[in-house]
Amino acid sequence: SNPFAEAKDFVFQIDTTPDFSSPVFLSTTIQSKGGVIEWMPPLTLQDSVVYYWRVSIDSVNTGNYDWRRSSFQYINSKTGWAQAHFPQFNANEYQYINQDFTNRKFRFINLTNEIFVKTGVYPHVDVYNVSFSINNDVRRFWTCLKQHPDYIGMLFVVFDTLSGEPFLSRASAIKPNGLGEYNNVHCSSGDLPTIEFFTNSTVGWSKLYEAPQSWWFNTIVNFIDSLPNGTPVLAYSAQNHNAENYTNQLYQAFESIGSSYIRTINNDEPYIIFGKKGYNIGDAHESVGSGPLDKISLTDSVKSRWKNGYIKSPIIGPSKKWKSLHWDYSYSDSIHMDYIEFDVIGIKNDGTVDTVINNLPLDSTDVNSLDNYVTANNYPWIQLIMKTRDDSLNTPAQLKKWQVIYAGAPETAINPQKGFSFYNDTLLQGDTVRMSIATENISNYDMDSLKVKYWIVDHNRIEQPISEYKLRPHPSGDVLIDTISFDTRDLKNLNRLWVEFNPDNDQLELTHINNIAELPFYVKTDESNPLLDVTFDGVHIMDGDIVSARPHILITLKDENKYLALEDTSNISVFLKIPSQQSYKKLNFNSQGVDELIFHPASLPENECKIEYQGDFQEDGIYNLRVQAKDESGNKSGNIDYDINFEVVNKSTITNVLNWPNPFSTRTHFVFTLTGSRVPDYMKIQIMTVTGKVVREIEMDEMGPVHIGKNITEYAWDGTDEFGDRLANGVYLYRVITDMNGESIEKRDSAADQFFRKGFGKMYLIR
């Protein structure tokens, strides 16, 4: 049933005998993977001959074959079901009938049940030593007659002459001919295999039981007299049986089941008798103790003698059309007193069972228009039953054959050998499962549009539907390959993909065991944190840095997963706190139709999304920006949020420009801070000697990118003049010239002011 099983050697065998020992015997070994395995034996089939075949995984090393067996009868141009060879009937259900393989006969079941009983007088015997059993199975121990010498009596067991089983004592139990009606009311708590009688009424549990002693004796007499002749009866004492005081009628009742001791035993002697109603005196098997201290037992047997039963076929079908029925039988003996009844049972799709042919006339062994009695639309399956009874010689009628000719149902089977692919059994979360799989119609019948169903059983054993749809028609011999794909975004760890063709028996089919398959696959969970990056006007700032009053803030989130694209805005939250507020405001991707944040979803395989925010900060002071981000798998960008303070100064200013390092030998950069919302229109650094001669002018476009906030120029002066000649060691002066809207930018006070005199700074060149 596993179409994906690894390749193994399979042994096929066919013969005309069930023990595979005739000259016709053929065997072959085929190596195959799971799915459909075929063998075409080189054999010319003979008409009406029954053939047996079997298959097993090869077990040459151990010799232990696990055979799967079947059989068929070959009739040219006929299809259906038949049992026409005695060993084939082994698959049937039987009631009170078994197969005698030695003589090739059906027999009524006749079993021998061993009876063992033991008793004594309390307290000289414990409760477990007052009991009776059948085939070592204890059916009753002790009694309801209590552990008291005044509670005395006899326990009776009456056996069914057919089954050999004891009747139950309650009136609600099996009681043909009134058996079981005499149960003593002291034991009314359940169905018991014993019937108990008081034989002494000096003490009772209540007024109800304080009846004359003769009343109890008469009850036993009436009970024994009611038993049909031939009924096996077991009786044994419980405490004091009081036999010395029995009436003559009661003595005669015991003698009617074969007792020879009942008139001579003493009250305090344990007593057991096993006989049959109608026995002569002395025919019974009896055991008598020698006194109250004695413990006695008795062993005997009861034989079953079934005279009726039935043979029921396996379920036949499914069928698209019932055509004809044929059966044959013979009598077991020449007296022909057998009763035979032949019935046909119809079985619906929902399992409902109806008798569609009841007691077919015995001369109607060929029913050529079976569909007049049972239609395949209503009853796709049937069963045959032959009931038989023989009251004279107890020999059942002999069923020789039964055959049903019908049009069968199609059969599709998953067959990976005709087509199968599976992308990968281990995937990263978000990757796509892709599978194609073949199913083959291996029958001689066409199927309509074939339905297929896929589902997942995830690592929590929760079933998740994938898809269900119909494919094209599926004629006889057709190989149909279907393909399915789905992503693993919501899956992790070990999962199982299930596929089922013709689910829920959408179309009538021979069997369903080969329509379903499962494939395990493992999803590696995405546990890596995405990378979060935040820039202000393209610059990574430090906590507390000054930024533009109208900064362009760019938030970038990058994930290494190449399948789960960052495209959900709910995974990113941005908060801003302004100087005059104590609480944060959440910035929205859409707020009243206006996007505060602009989202650019990721494109695979790069998997990087961007969020833009164009700030417009009118208030000077310290702001705080907080960003929370996670990827599509829920992994956060960090254990703590991105959180940074920044300062906004709306007025355009510039600090004194420092060169760094100072002194320098090969190169020095320039450091300064700008405020406001835009950079200067013009900016130049002049370097001159101490006498005021300009030796170098550095224009704004040479400095590299300039932004609001702290700047360290990409440009580094190497100590050469306008012509590239190296300057001498010594002290040089420098100043900064700026222009915005035709005016110089206001200077902003800073700690660097101590190094400047009248706007000039000093630098030291050391070679």
Side-chain angles (χ1 to χ4, degrees):
S1 62
N2 176 15
F4 302 110
E6 295 296 323
K8 296 181 177 68
D9 286 340
F10 293 87
V11 178
F12 282 87
Q13 294 180 350
I14 190 168
D15 201 352
T16 55
T17 61
D19 58 358
F20 296 86
S21 60
S22 84
V24 179
F25 171 75
L26 291 173
S27 180
T28 190
T29 300
I30 298 174
Q31 186 178 78
S32 176
K33 293 183 178 180
V36 177
I37 307 168
E38 301 177 69
W39 177 43
M40 181 68 74
L43 181 67
T44 301
L45 300 179
Q46 302 299 313
D47 189 69
S48 299
V49 172
V50 172
Y51 294 88
Y52 298 86
W53 68 278
R54 62 187 181 181
V55 62
S56 171
I57 295 173
D58 195 359
S59 300
V60 291
N61 295 327
T62 63
N64 296 321
Y65 290 91
D66 185 13
W67 295 111
R68 299 296 187 269
R69 304 169 184 269
S70 190
S71 66
F72 63 90
Q73 182 183 27
Y74 174 69
I75 301 178
N76 189 27
S77 302
K78 301 290 185 181
T79 60
W81 175 92
Q83 288 178 333
H85 197 217
F86 190 78
Q88 286 186 294
F89 293 104
N90 192 42
N92 294 340
E93 176 186 336
Y94 295 91
Q95 184 184 68
Y96 311 138
I97 294 176
N98 59 18
Q99 287 178 274
D100 177 359
F101 283 95
T102 301
N103 298 296
R104 299 290 178 102
K105 293 284 187 180
F106 295 105
R107 308 286 189 191
F108 285 123
I109 294 175
N110 290 299
L111 302 176
T112 300
N113 294 325
E114 182 181 275
I115 299 169
F116 177 72
V117 62
K118 53 186 177 180
T119 191
V121 177
Y122 184 84
H124 307 297
V125 64
D126 59 46
V127 295
Y128 291 100
N129 279 312
V130 179
S131 66
F132 92 91
S133 60
I134 299 177
N135 297 328
N136 296 318
D137 177 24
V138 176
R139 299 295 182 93
R140 181 74 196 277
F141 70 87
W142 203 230
T143 169
C144 290
L145 299 180
K146 298 297 181 182
Q147 300 168 359
H148 190 284
D150 290 321
Y151 291 99
I152 53 182
M154 294 290 293
L155 280 73
F156 283 81
V157 182
V158 179
F159 295 87
D160 180 24
T161 56
L162 293 180
S163 67
E165 284 288 317
F167 286 112
L168 299 180
S169 60
R170 268 204 321 202
S172 62
I174 302 172
K175 51 184 186 307
N177 302 319
L179 299 181
E181 295 289 356
Y182 289 91
N183 177 38
N184 188 292
V185 291
H186 288 164
C187 293
S188 59
S189 59
D191 291 331
L192 298 173
T194 55
I195 303 171
E196 303 185 359
F197 294 100
F198 275 157
T199 56
N200 186 322
S201 62
T202 59
V203 177
W205 285 353
S206 68
K207 295 288 184 181
L208 177 66
Y209 308 117
E210 294 177 1
Q213 184 170 269
S214 60
W215 185 90
W216 295 109
F217 292 165
N218 290 336
T219 302
I220 302 176
V221 171
N222 293 336
F223 169 68
I224 296 176
D225 286 348
S226 71
L227 301 178
N229 283 343
T231 302
V233 181
L234 168 69
Y236 59 98
S237 62
Q239 299 298 84
N240 189 338
H241 45 71
N242 202 24
E244 293 179 39
N245 301 314
Y246 286 179
T247 63
N248 187 56
Q249 289 87 351
L250 185 53
Y251 287 137
Q252 291 175 351
F254 272 89
E255 289 168 347
S256 73
I257 60 175
S259 175
S260 61
Y261 296 126
I262 193 64
R263 296 178 185 267
T264 61
I265 58 178
N266 299 317
N267 288 347
D268 59 356
E269 294 173 348
Y271 175 59
I272 305 172
I273 179 174
F274 178 68
K276 285 185 180 180
K277 180 65 184 299
Y279 264 5
N280 296 320
I281 295 174
D283 287 346
H285 185 181
E286 295 175 278
S287 177
V288 181
S290 59
L293 301 181
D294 209 0
K295 303 171 185 176
I296 63 172
S297 64
L298 180 146
T299 301
D300 213 307
S301 62
V302 175
K303 291 184 178 181
S304 64
R305 186 172 174 79
W306 292 107
K307 58 184 179 181
N308 64 288
Y310 67 70
I311 303 173
K312 181 187 290 186
S313 74
I315 294 176
I316 303 167
S319 168
K320 287 294 188 75
K321 181 178 175 61
W322 300 110
K323 296 182 179 180
S324 61
L325 165 66
H326 311 273
W327 70 295
D328 195 10
Y329 66 94
S330 64
Y331 293 102
S332 294
D333 53 71
S334 59
I335 300 178
H336 293 186
M337 297 295 291
D338 300 19
Y339 166 82
I340 302 173
E341 178 181 330
F342 192 94
D343 299 337
V344 178
I345 305 300
I347 304 173
K348 295 182 178 180
N349 275 315
D350 62 2
T352 301
V353 175
D354 297 316
T355 300
V356 294
I357 298 179
N358 185 30
N359 202 3
L360 189 72
L362 296 186
D363 57 353
S364 300
T365 55
D366 294 292
V367 180
N368 292 316
S369 298
L370 184 58
D371 55 341
N372 289 338
Y373 298 90
V374 53
T375 61
N377 287 337
N378 292 328
Y379 300 99
W381 297 273
I382 63 171
Q383 273 186 293
L384 310 179
I385 301 178
M386 189 192 79
K387 301 175 183 177
T388 177
R389 187 180 75 243
D390 184 0
D391 295 328
S392 58
L393 299 177
N394 289 60
T395 55
Q398 300 298 305
L399 179 62
K400 299 170 68 176
K401 73 170 185 179
W402 45 16
Q403 299 169 334
V404 181
I405 307 302
Y406 65 89
E411 172 64 11
T412 191
I414 292 176
N415 192 4
Q417 298 182 55
K418 296 292 181 71
F420 172 72
S421 67
F422 194 65
Y423 162 57
N424 206 335
D425 60 5
T426 302
L427 307 96
L428 291 176
Q429 191 173 19
D431 198 357
T432 300
V433 172
R434 295 185 290 274
M435 181 188 74
S436 64
I437 189 167
T439 187
E440 182 179 4
N441 186 341
I442 59 175
S443 72
N444 294 324
Y445 304 97
D446 297 341
M447 297 187 77
D448 295 332
S449 297
L450 187 65
K451 184 185 286 188
V452 63
K453 177 181 178 182
Y454 296 92
W455 69 95
I456 290 289
V457 177
D458 66 19
H459 72 290
N460 291 320
R461 299 185 179 179
I462 296 174
E463 187 173 309
Q464 301 182 21
I466 300 297
S467 59
E468 183 174 352
Y469 48 86
K470 281 197 171 183
L471 305 168
R472 60 170 173 77
H474 191 38
S476 172
D478 175 56
V479 175
L480 197 158
I481 300 177
D482 189 48
T483 300
I484 186 72
S485 64
F486 56 92
D487 70 58
T488 58
R489 176 184 298 268
D490 299 321
L491 301 174
K492 61 181 180 180
N493 301 333
L494 183 64
N495 303 269
R496 298 183 182 277
L497 170 61
W498 286 85
V499 56
E500 182 180 8
F501 289 96
N502 196 29
D504 306 316
N505 290 313
D506 180 61
Q507 299 182 57
L508 188 66
E509 192 180 1
L510 182 62
T511 185
H512 202 72
I513 191 173
N514 49 17
N515 290 39
I516 190 167
E518 65 163 328
L519 275 171
F521 64 95
Y522 191 86
V523 178
K524 292 182 177 179
T525 307
D526 178 9
E527 297 179 348
S528 300
N529 302 107
L531 300 177
L532 179 66
D533 185 66
V534 181
T535 60
F536 290 71
D537 293 324
V539 177
H540 298 98
I541 67 171
M542 302 291 288
D543 192 66
D545 276 357
I546 295 173
V547 302
S548 169
R550 299 189 73 252
H552 177 262
I553 301 176
L554 179 63
I555 301 169
T556 303
L557 189 66
K558 184 177 179 63
D559 192 23
E560 93 293 344
N561 191 303
K562 299 183 183 303
Y563 306 105
L564 298 178
L566 298 168
E567 53 189 12
D568 188 352
T569 58
S570 66
N571 289 331
I572 301 173
S573 299
V574 182
F575 303 90
L576 180 68
K577 186 171 73 173
I578 63 178
S580 61
Q581 300 291 331
Q582 295 298 317
S583 59
Y584 287 88
K585 174 191 176 184
K586 183 177 182 181
L587 304 180
N588 297 307
F589 290 95
N590 187 288
S591 177
Q592 298 179 348
V594 177
D595 289 334
E596 293 180 288
L597 300 174
I598 300 174
F599 183 69
H600 303 280
S603 297
L604 298 176
E606 295 303 321
N607 208 8
E608 179 180 273
C609 70
K610 297 180 184 296
I611 300 94
E612 294 185 79
Y613 175 61
Q614 184 61 57
D616 187 6
F617 305 136
Q618 304 295 325
E619 182 180 341
D620 289 354
I622 303 299
Y623 290 73
N624 181 269
L625 180 71
R626 178 177 296 170
V627 181
Q628 300 170 342
K630 59 184 179 181
D631 62 18
E632 296 293 319
S633 300
N635 301 309
K636 295 182 178 180
S637 59
N639 293 329
I640 58 175
D641 298 340
Y642 174 85
D643 190 297
I644 196 163
N645 296 301
F646 58 91
E647 184 178 2
V648 171
V649 178
N650 278 274
K651 188 175 182 180
S652 293
T653 66
I654 185 171
T655 62
N656 279 314
V657 178
L658 287 173
N659 72 300
W660 175 84
N662 190 16
F664 73 97
S665 60
T666 57
R667 54 200 302 120
T668 185
H669 296 266
F670 298 94
V671 181
F672 57 93
T673 300
L674 290 170
T675 68
S677 58
R678 65 189 183 93
V679 299
D681 298 329
Y682 175 77
M683 183 176 177
K684 179 172 67 173
I685 300 174
Q686 282 187 334
I687 302 172
M688 60 196 72
T689 65
V690 294
T691 62
K693 180 182 177 183
V694 176
V695 295
R696 184 73 166 90
E697 287 186 337
I698 304 169
E699 300 293 339
M700 188 174 177
D701 57 357
E702 290 184 80
M703 296 178 192
V706 175
H707 59 272
I708 302 298
K710 184 183 292 184
N711 288 265
I712 301 177
T713 62
E714 291 182 2
Y715 172 82
W717 182 50
D718 58 1
T720 60
D721 61 13
E722 295 286 346
F723 306 103
D725 295 329
R726 298 176 65 184
L727 297 175
N729 292 349
V731 177
Y732 292 84
L733 304 178
Y734 67 96
R735 68 174 180 174
V736 176
I737 301 171
T738 61
D739 179 79
M740 183 180 290
N741 297 328
E743 296 182 357
S744 296
I745 299 176
E746 180 180 324
K747 188 180 77 66
R748 176 181 174 82
D749 294 337
S750 70
D753 293 348
Q754 60 181 310
F755 303 112
F756 288 80
R757 294 292 183 270
K758 296 181 181 181
F760 287 90
K762 292 182 181 181
M763 63 175 64
Y764 299 88
L765 176 59
I766 302 173
R767 299 293 187 182

